[in-house]
Amino acid sequence: MQCYQNFINNSFIQPENDVSFIVSDPATGQPRAQVCAATTAEALSAVESATAAQKGWAALPACERAQYLHKLADALQARSAEIGAALADESGKSLSDAMAEAVYAAEITRYHAEWARRIEGEAIPSDNPQENLLLMREAIGVVVCLIPFNFPVYTLLRKIAPALITGNTVVVRPSNNTPCSAFAIAQAVLDAGLPAGVINILTMTHAVAETVCTHPKVGMITLTGSVGAGRKVLEYSQVNIAKSSLELGGKTPAIIEPDAKLVQAANDIVASALSHCGQLCTSVERVYVQESVYEDFVRLLKARFSARQYGNRARHPNYMGPLVNASTRLNIQQMVERAVDDGAVLETGGFIPEGPGYFYPPTLLTQCRQDMEIVQEEIFGPVLCVLKYSTAEEALQLANDHQFGLASVLYTENYRTAMRFANHIEAGELYVNRTPADPYQGYHAGWKRSGLGGDDGKHGMLEFTQTRLVVLKY
């Protein structure tokens, strides 16, 4: 069983205690790796290393920081097989998907490197003669990056690349479910020759993570995670008034209008709902179907859900893989049972399979109601709820009647309907005639309980800056 050490100040450090996490393959339930848990002293050392490196890193011209990011992207690409193997073992993804995630992480790193000459300030007219107002963009300092389990390679670079190009240094806490790929990334950091202390990667208990997040030298905390985790980060940020950027839960609605291309919509929605066993923040979890096409569309969904095979993707790469752990699977099964008890119709799936691994079958529920728990709460698994509506205005109202507002989907050939939803949907993203894919030149930000701030594009990059107004009398 492979053992991983924490990465601080460009070194893999010998652990100071014997506390560790066992990382299991969710497709088999068998342990695959052991990862050292950082002590409080080690975590504080990481913050001090990031602090010591930050001013020198920020003092480099942005184009020089970009050169380091390009070298890091090259190293990620070169190590994509190694990173992908670690990710496949800990996540249940196929090796090809895991390697592709490493390559995609290299691409978003290159994208952010190109912002080097585009981190812009503003010149603002003054009310006074012979005076200029100059608004400057500056680094925040040390950024703590809290990484989720579902796309731990891509999300790690999605956060640290914009942090680094704007002059910050980082302390990264990967998910304790999927930390091994992060340490494979640390090897790429060494390959790229980044200055010591710029990137630090540690696994931590919740108590040690709190110590890091509330450290007075931490200026920002960025999280992709649950609403509950977001609330904890907001508690941490209160201590030193650290900036928070939070991408939290989602419950993507898909609206199917009567003029939609039904086969395309069904194919897209099934792929979205079942990708990585439904463990995506933007996965379609609720579908509103216009009553005139409801029966036809349910038949299309049921046929595709019933045909989808699941199992160990190390042997069957085209199958749907497992959930992250046993407790997640049990929670999903209990949600489905409560929905059926409350009147939903189970069309397919809805049981815990026998055998090893944390698999759960594609599960389709019809005759759901808006007030059901299964419609209102994030599932984060391969479960799709279907509801019926009469008019587009009703569908819009139902889609918006929700605590989450991350992504949304509309299938229609009517541009008037599309524009009505574009102007009135209460979500950070609307995808028309396709399902979510988070283009990294866009801006991935949620409304309501789906988050604060956001990732990607110019606006995601600027999240990692603070402003200074210079009032210049001459």
Side-chain angles (χ1 to χ4, degrees), residues 183-461:
F183 294 112
I185 290 170
Q187 291 285 356
V189 173
L190 291 178
D191 294 345
L194 269 78
V198 170
I199 298 175
N200 306 272
I201 302 173
L202 305 86
T203 53
M204 310 177 203
T205 64
H206 292 312
V208 172
E210 180 176 358
T211 299
V212 170
C213 290
T214 56
H215 194 288
K217 293 181 180 177
V218 167
M220 179 177 175
I221 310 168
T222 175
L223 162 78
T224 296
S226 67
V227 173
R231 290 192 178 105
K232 291 301 294 183
V233 168
L234 289 176
E235 290 177 14
Y236 299 157
S237 67
Q238 290 180 68
V239 176
N240 297 302
I241 318 299
K243 183 176 182 178
S244 298
S245 180
L246 310 175
E247 193 236 298
L248 306 179
K251 188 78 175 176
T252 300
I255 295 91
I256 311 300
E257 279 284 272
D259 63 342
K261 294 179 179 178
L262 297 184
V263 172
Q264 174 196 335
N267 290 340
D268 291 352
I269 288 169
V270 170
S272 173
L274 304 184
S275 179
H276 196 30
C277 205
Q279 297 171 121
L280 288 79
C281 296
T282 55
S283 174
V284 175
E285 288 199 5
R286 50 190 174 122
V287 182
Y288 299 95
V289 187
Q290 206 277 336
E291 57 191 6
S292 67
V293 295
Y294 179 85
E295 298 298 335
D296 289 341
F297 198 69
V298 167
R299 278 194 293 271
L300 290 171
L301 292 176
K302 185 174 181 179
R304 285 154 177 77
F305 265 64
S306 299
R308 190 75 165 96
Q309 294 176 293
Y310 59 93
N312 190 335
R313 299 190 71 197
R315 296 196 298 268
H316 305 285
N318 293 325
Y319 283 13
M320 184 182 76
L323 293 163
V324 64
N325 54 40
S327 62
T328 294
R329 182 172 66 170
L330 179 60
N331 288 339
I332 290 172
Q333 174 63 14
Q334 291 172 343
M335 287 183 74
V336 170
E337 290 174 351
R338 289 193 294 270
V340 173
D341 290 343
D342 199 22
V345 173
L346 183 64
E347 300 286 351
T348 185
F351 63 92
I352 293 180
E354 295 182 358
Y358 310 126
F359 298 101
Y360 195 77
T363 298
L364 182 66
L365 294 166
T366 60
Q367 297 188 30
C368 298
R369 300 188 316 274
Q370 186 72 6
D371 65 344
M372 285 180 171
E373 174 199 37
I374 204 85
V375 176
Q376 292 295 323
E377 298 295 334
E378 186 175 34
I379 304 167
F380 223 63
V383 180
L384 188 64
C385 308
V386 187
L387 300 87
K388 187 187 299 186
Y389 72 89
S390 298
T391 67
E393 287 301 322
E394 180 188 1
L396 182 61
Q397 185 273 325
L398 291 169
N400 288 341
D401 178 27
H402 213 276
Q403 63 178 314
F404 295 121
L406 190 56
S408 58
V409 173
L410 171 67
Y411 281 88
T412 184
E413 297 300 306
N414 187 317
Y415 79 91
R416 291 185 175 87
T417 302
M419 287 309 303
R420 185 181 306 128
F421 275 77
N423 288 332
H424 298 292
I425 194 73
E426 294 174 2
E429 298 174 338
L430 172 66
Y431 292 80
V432 181
N433 294 327
R434 61 169 294 185
T435 49
D438 295 358
Y440 51 68
Q441 66 270 47
Y443 185 47
H444 182 61
W447 290 28
K448 303 177 183 178
R449 293 184 183 177
S450 287
L452 299 170
D455 296 303
D456 303 337
K458 172 182 178 180
H459 300 287
M461 179 270 294

Side-chain angles (χ1 to χ4, degrees), residues 50-243:
T51 302
Q54 193 273 321
K55 290 193 183 302
W57 177 251
L60 292 176
C63 59
E64 289 189 27
R65 296 197 295 269
Q67 291 173 11
Y68 280 112
L69 286 184
H70 281 299
K71 290 177 183 177
L72 178 57
D74 291 343
L76 291 168
Q77 186 117 22
R79 287 189 176 269
S80 60
E82 176 187 336
I83 296 168
L87 177 58
D89 281 349
E90 67 189 358
S91 70
K93 296 182 180 185
S94 69
L95 180 58
S96 60
D97 279 1
M99 290 176 61
E101 185 175 335
V103 172
Y104 199 38
E107 288 303 308
I108 197 170
T109 303
R110 291 191 179 97
Y111 170 80
H112 280 99
E114 295 301 327
W115 279 108
R117 295 181 175 91
R118 299 175 178 87
I119 305 170
E120 301 170 345
E122 300 174 32
I124 305 168
S126 173
D127 291 342
N128 301 317
Q130 295 185 305
E131 185 173 88
N132 290 326
L133 307 182
L134 306 177
L135 188 67
M136 305 167 69
R137 290 276 179 179
E138 301 290 348
I140 292 173
V142 176
V143 178
V144 174
C145 304
L146 306 175
I147 309 301
F149 72 83
N150 56 346
F151 288 89
V153 171
Y154 178 71
T155 307
L156 194 155
L157 275 303
R158 186 188 212 180
K159 293 187 181 298
I160 70 172
L164 266 55
I165 196 61
T166 49
N168 304 282
T169 55
V170 297
V171 176
V172 179
R173 184 203 186 192
S175 166
N176 292 337
N177 288 299
T178 54
C180 303
S181 53
F183 294 112
I185 290 170
Q187 291 285 356
V189 173
L190 291 178
D191 294 345
L194 269 78
V198 170
I199 298 175
N200 306 272
I201 302 173
L202 305 86
T203 53
M204 310 177 203
T205 64
H206 292 312
V208 172
E210 180 176 358
T211 299
V212 170
C213 290
T214 56
H215 194 288
K217 293 181 180 177
V218 167
M220 179 177 175
I221 310 168
T222 175
L223 162 78
T224 296
S226 67
V227 173
R231 290 192 178 105
K232 291 301 294 183
V233 168
L234 289 176
E235 290 177 14
Y236 299 157
S237 67
Q238 290 180 68
V239 176
N240 297 302
I241 318 299
K243 183 176 182 178

